[in-house]
Amino acid sequence: MNKRAKIKDIALKAGVSPTTVSRALSGTGLVAEPTLSHIRAIAETLHYRPNISARNLRTQKTMSILVVVRDIGNPFYLDIFKGAESIAHDAGYSLLMANTEDDPKREADYFNMLSDGRADGMILMTGKMPLDCDLPHDISQKVVVALEMIDNVDLTHVVIDNEYASIEAIDHLVSLGHQKIAYIAGPIPEGMSVRRLAGFRHAMMADGLKLPEAYIQQGNFSYQSGERAADRLLDLPDPPTAIYTANDEMAFGAIRAAKKRGLSVPEDLSIFGFDDTYLAEAFVPALTTVRQPCLEIGRRAMTRLLAHLSGDNPDTDSIVVPTEIVIRETTAPPPQKTYHPSS
Amino acid sequence: MNKRAKIKDIALKAGVSPTTVSRALSGTGLVAEPTLSHIRAIAETLHYRPNISARNLRTQKTMSILVVVRDIGNPFYLDIFKGAESIAHDAGYSLLMANTEDDPKREADYFNMLSDGRADGMILMTGKMPLDCDLPHDISQKVVVALEMIDNVDLTHVVIDNEYASIEAIDHLVSLGHQKIAYIAGPIPEGMSVRRLAGFRHAMMADGLKLPEAYIQQGNFSYQSGERAADRLLDLPDPPTAIYTANDEMAFGAIRAAKKRGLSVPEDLSIFGFDDTYLAEAFVPALTTVRQPCLEIGRRAMTRLLAHLSGDNPDTDSIVVPTEIVIRETTAPPPQKTYHPSS
């Protein structure tokens, strides 16, 4: 390995002062052509790269962005990472993975990294602000909230319209002829779950359908919880002909529950998911679901954050990214006769 | 927001010089008790946190580790991230997501970040070294290779035994009574695909089974490619009774192909996956597969990297993490009569 070229090596070779080299390479506009090009050409020949820690100390920039999630192991975040990373990389930024596991100390740690200048910005996807830590004084220009909303904070939010997405899903089931539609909700009172449930109730009311309270069951987003919730629904004396779920994994669990008691999906029971995770299409039968535009959420959140960081756009108005329903193989008209458990 | 406490604020309050404070807080061992505890207590009261860029300039450490993958959107990496992150976080390090998308410029970029001191270490999961960039002179102490092996480099590798995993899978199918066993391989000549295929050939030979070349089909790890490869196998005049695949997604595709032509899995056809991705258990039928211990791979890779960085263990001997086969619902004894396509 050869020794790393320094500013003074370039200065020597170019016949100018180290200060001139430094000004030329940092793009201050203080060095005119043709000296500028001459210095840059020499720097390139010598494979010069700046000492980043020294530059960061001067510019107070780390060129890194924290991406804060509750559970780094959840595949749901992947396309958001991917979208955010593509924009960040093009702008010369790196993403720092920040995993809170709902631990208040970790939640505070990452905000402290921002306050300490160990990261330049943050995309926050935990749905909550941390307790007990210093918030940066210019937080509105350093933090963008994505995916999960946080009430009463003046930060840019990049989100979907969860209520409207539920309404579209129910309208589709109703258009197929379903009247007995049940819902497997996510954990209440988490914001996302509350809004999807509100949309479900709203749609059922708007369509003039009866909604027994037993038609609303709660899960925790795992497929096991979806399977158990669907078991409770299918055990009802008057079971639903369609089940809408707050995420795809609970929908997969509901399909399992149906198959275990010999019901065919969608002939005997329609299932409607939410998210369009990567296996929704590969599942047998392929899942009808609400597609969250995760790549787009990631891209929009990072684009706004970079606009904040560069001072180009200080606005904190929210960005709502449209969802769409994807009709695949798990929804169909209701069966002619209602299914009754053979118990 | 209150003003950030500085070294001199602590010095003033403690009645010592700023140099003493600095020595006390950086743990140099030059300040004795009870002064040491006194200074630390004041620092805590004032919520003092060091200026990291300044400290990094002195210590040449960024406390960040690059985790380099081909495709940040692939759920397969999630548990590796999670395992690596848990170890790194406890040691005060953050993970930088590094996504190459097989772009040689990006592959070089991340090595340049190491050489420039913008990251302290790297876990490399792309299966290849970059072209055309400066490698750090102490690369063996800064880079650990995980998941995908790289031939002819003196770096610690944290891997599974792909050949042995294939042998275990085939032995299980043979123990069920299968003799006509086909394989859907990953992209050849990628190292991981080559080794799994070699294990398959080895096991078939060791078990004295015939292996027509048409029983080996190639996919690209997507479920669509698995579906197409399974179609080719099931169209053969003498189709297999079991299909082993190089990853779970291709196994899901093979199940789709079987169901589309009215075959039941596992009654008519057994399917054996590889990876134990998060939906293997939720799939209907739940997938029999080889479990890769991804959390453990992430933990072991990060533990070794931290041992390198701290100088505790400079060895570059490889670490082989054991796999296990997980028997679920997609494997059973072969049907009595061989299936013939009805075409």
Side-chain angles (χ1 to χ4, degrees):
Chain A
M1 304 292 137
N2 35 14
K3 200 171 125 296
R4 233 170 82 174
K6 293 201 169 66
I7 293 274
K8 65 179 182 192
D9 302 324
I10 301 167
L12 198 67
K13 199 149 180 188
V16 299
S17 74
T19 310
T20 304
V21 172
S22 179
R23 284 176 175 165
L25 297 179
S26 57
T28 54
L30 294 171
V31 180
E33 295 289 2
T35 313
L36 185 63
S37 297
H38 180 55
I39 291 169
R40 286 189 175 156
I42 290 170
E44 200 168 319
T45 313
L46 297 178
H47 299 292
Y48 171 78
R49 281 193 309 279
N51 179 330
I52 303 294
S53 278
R55 197 173 69 183
N56 288 345
L57 188 64
R58 267 197 329 274
T59 62
Q60 303 288 331
K61 289 189 88 170
T62 62
M63 299 308 284
S64 59
I65 307 281
L66 287 158
V67 182
V68 188
V69 299
R70 290 161 189 260
D71 173 11
I72 191 83
N74 187 333
F76 185 70
Y77 299 116
L78 285 169
D79 274 348
I80 299 182
F81 291 164
K82 195 166 184 166
E85 201 269 347
S86 65
I87 301 290
H89 185 85
D90 288 348
Y93 281 88
S94 299
L95 300 194
L96 286 167
M97 294 182 208
N99 189 28
T100 68
E101 312 222 317
D102 282 323
D103 171 357
K105 187 176 167 310
R106 280 187 168 218
E107 290 165 2
D109 278 352
Y110 297 119
F111 271 85
N112 286 334
M113 286 180 71
L114 259 196
S115 300
D116 291 348
R118 280 178 286 164
D120 298 341
M122 176 189 284
I123 294 180
L124 182 62
M125 294 192 273
T126 59
K128 54 185 163 176
M129 296 300 289
L131 304 166
D132 198 26
C133 72
D134 292 354
L135 298 178
H137 67 92
D138 50 354
I139 186 169
S140 74
Q141 300 304 300
K142 286 193 164 171
V143 179
V144 166
V145 174
L147 198 61
E148 300 204 39
M149 293 185 75
I150 305 176
D151 290 330
N152 306 317
V153 294
D154 180 26
L155 300 173
T156 298
H157 280 64
V158 181
V159 290
I160 60 165
D161 186 336
N162 284 291
E163 284 196 52
Y164 183 71
S166 284
I167 293 170
E168 277 200 314
I170 300 310
D171 282 354
H172 177 71
L173 290 170
V174 170
S175 75
L176 289 172
H178 290 278
Q179 300 198 317
K180 298 177 183 178
I181 305 174
Y183 185 55
I184 302 178
I188 305 292
E190 285 184 18
M192 188 189 283
S193 302
V194 169
R195 287 182 190 93
R196 287 178 197 172
L197 174 58
F200 170 69
R201 283 187 191 279
H202 178 92
M204 292 294 279
M205 200 183 299
D207 286 320
L209 297 176
K210 269 188 272 182
L211 180 53
E213 271 310 301
Y215 271 22
I216 297 174
Q217 295 287 336
Q218 194 176 318
N220 64 9
F221 287 138
S222 72
Y223 87 86
Q224 293 94 337
S225 75
E227 187 171 347
R228 287 191 299 269
D231 275 333
R232 293 192 294 273
L233 290 169
L234 297 172
D235 282 340
L236 291 174
D238 190 19
T241 59
I243 300 178
Y244 171 50
T245 63
N247 77 339
D248 285 353
E249 292 192 48
M250 293 199 294
F252 298 140
I255 293 171
R256 250 193 118 67
K259 290 200 177 174
K260 287 219 162 147
R261 56 182 77 203
L263 293 177
S264 291
V265 175
E267 293 77 6
D268 300 318
L269 181 69
S270 286
I271 307 275
F272 207 121
F274 201 112
D275 283 345
D276 199 23
T277 42
Y278 89 113
L279 270 187
E281 195 181 345
F283 213 82
V284 187
L287 188 65
T288 294
T289 189
V290 174
R291 177 178 294 158
Q292 291 220 55
C294 289
L295 264 178
E296 191 63 15
I297 291 172
R299 283 196 207 109
R300 298 287 291 269
M302 185 58 75
T303 302
R304 173 63 68 88
L305 180 59
L306 295 180
H308 284 339
L309 293 178
S310 64
D312 288 345
N313 180 5
D315 290 351
T316 57
D317 57 311
S318 285
I319 298 168
V320 178
V321 187
T323 54
E324 58 178 316
I325 58 174
V326 185
I327 311 300
R328 296 203 182 95
E329 301 166 357
T330 57
T331 43
Q336 294 306 86
K337 277 184 276 176
T338 307
Y339 160 81
H340 285 289
S342 56
S343 59
Chain B
M1 304 296 133
N2 35 14
K3 202 172 123 292
R4 234 168 81 175
K6 293 201 168 67
I7 293 274
K8 65 180 181 191
D9 302 324
I10 301 167
L12 198 67
K13 200 149 180 188
V16 299
S17 74
T19 309
T20 303
V21 172
S22 180
R23 284 174 174 166
L25 296 180
S26 57
T28 55
L30 295 171
V31 180
E33 295 289 1
T35 313
L36 184 64
S37 298
H38 180 56
I39 290 170
R40 287 190 175 155
I42 289 169
E44 199 168 319
T45 314
L46 295 178
H47 299 291
Y48 171 77
R49 282 193 308 278
N51 178 330
I52 303 294
S53 279
R55 197 174 68 185
N56 287 344
L57 188 63
R58 268 197 327 275
T59 63
Q60 303 287 331
K61 289 189 88 169
T62 62
M63 300 307 286
S64 59
I65 306 282
L66 287 158
V67 182
V68 189
V69 299
R70 291 161 188 262
D71 173 12
I72 191 81
N74 186 335
F76 185 71
Y77 298 115
L78 286 169
D79 274 349
I80 299 182
F81 291 163
K82 195 166 185 166
E85 201 270 347
S86 66
I87 302 290
H89 185 86
D90 288 349
Y93 281 88
S94 299
L95 300 194
L96 286 167
M97 294 182 207
N99 189 29
T100 68
E101 313 222 316
D102 282 324
D103 171 356
K105 186 174 169 311
R106 280 186 168 219
E107 290 166 2
D109 278 352
Y110 296 120
F111 272 85
N112 286 335
M113 286 179 72
L114 258 196
S115 300
D116 291 348
R118 280 178 286 164
D120 297 341
M122 176 189 285
I123 294 180
L124 182 62
M125 295 194 272
T126 59
K128 54 184 163 176
M129 297 299 289
L131 305 165
D132 196 27
C133 72
D134 292 355
L135 297 178
H137 67 92
D138 50 354
I139 185 169
S140 74
Q141 300 304 300
K142 286 193 164 170
V143 179
V144 166
V145 174
L147 198 62
E148 299 204 39
M149 295 185 72
I150 306 176
D151 291 330
N152 305 317
V153 294
D154 179 26
L155 299 173
T156 298
H157 280 63
V158 181
V159 289
I160 60 165
D161 186 337
N162 284 291
E163 283 195 53
Y164 183 71
S166 284
I167 292 169
E168 277 200 314
I170 299 310
D171 283 354
H172 177 72
L173 290 170
V174 170
S175 75
L176 289 172
H178 290 277
Q179 300 197 317
K180 299 177 183 178
I181 305 174
Y183 185 55
I184 302 178
I188 306 292
E190 285 184 19
M192 188 189 282
S193 302
V194 168
R195 288 181 189 94
R196 286 178 197 172
L197 174 58
F200 170 69
R201 284 187 190 278
H202 177 93
M204 291 294 280
M205 200 183 299
D207 286 320
L209 298 177
K210 269 188 270 184
L211 180 51
E213 272 309 301
Y215 271 22
I216 297 174
Q217 294 288 335
Q218 195 176 320
N220 64 9
F221 287 137
S222 73
Y223 87 86
Q224 294 93 337
S225 74
E227 188 171 347
R228 286 190 300 268
D231 275 333
R232 292 193 294 273
L233 291 168
L234 297 172
D235 281 340
L236 291 173
D238 189 20
T241 60
I243 300 178
Y244 171 50
T245 63
N247 77 338
D248 285 354
E249 291 192 48
M250 293 199 294
F252 297 140
I255 294 171
R256 248 193 120 66
K259 289 199 178 176
K260 286 218 163 148
R261 59 182 76 202
L263 293 176
S264 289
V265 176
E267 293 77 7
D268 300 317
L269 180 70
S270 285
I271 307 276
F272 207 122
F274 201 113
D275 283 345
D276 200 22
T277 42
Y278 88 114
L279 270 186
E281 195 181 346
F283 213 82
V284 187
L287 189 66
T288 293
T289 188
V290 175
R291 178 179 293 157
Q292 290 220 55
C294 289
L295 263 177
E296 191 63 17
I297 291 172
R299 283 197 207 107
R300 298 288 290 270
M302 186 58 75
T303 302
R304 172 63 68 87
L305 181 59
L306 295 180
H308 284 339
L309 293 179
S310 65
D312 288 345
N313 179 5
D315 290 351
T316 56
D317 58 311
S318 285
I319 298 168
V320 178
V321 188
T323 54
E324 59 178 315
I325 58 174
V326 185
I327 312 299
R328 297 204 181 94
E329 301 166 356
T330 56
T331 43
Q336 295 305 87
K337 278 185 274 177
T338 307
Y339 160 80
H340 287 288
S342 56
S343 58

